[in-house]
Amino acid sequence: LLLGLASLVTVLPFLWLLTTALKGPGDVVFGIPPQFLPRQPTLRNFAAVWEQLPIWRFFLNSNLATLRWQAPG
């Protein structure tokens, strides 16, 4: 029982994050009662982030920093 509750506490924020990311502009994010599933799931939010931010640069910088810290000397 305790393990089941702990897993719910761990998994629910990730499910909330995913369902919120898939909501369109017409979906309510902070409504009462909460709407967990989007009416029409869309990937446009992800495309907008890729267009507006240099995600590949962030990825490259993270990898370069990791390689630098792992390199000897």
Side-chain angles (χ1 to χ4, degrees):
L1 181 65
L2 186 60
L3 186 59
L5 289 174
S7 64
L8 279 177
V9 169
T10 303
V11 171
L12 283 178
F14 291 108
L15 290 176
W16 180 264
L17 177 101
L18 179 64
T19 58
T20 303
L22 294 174
K23 289 183 179 184
D27 290 322
V28 177
V29 176
F30 298 112
I32 295 178
Q35 176 190 356
F36 293 107
L37 298 175
R39 292 186 187 130
Q40 294 180 339
T42 179
L43 295 175
R44 288 187 202 152
N45 299 330
F46 294 100
V49 169
W50 279 92
E51 291 171 0
Q52 294 176 10
L53 295 174
I55 300 294
W56 284 109
R57 174 53 90 179
F58 298 156
F59 181 73
L60 179 64
N61 288 345
S62 297
N63 284 315
L64 290 175
T66 301
L67 289 173
R68 174 60 188 112
W69 282 103
Q70 295 294 323

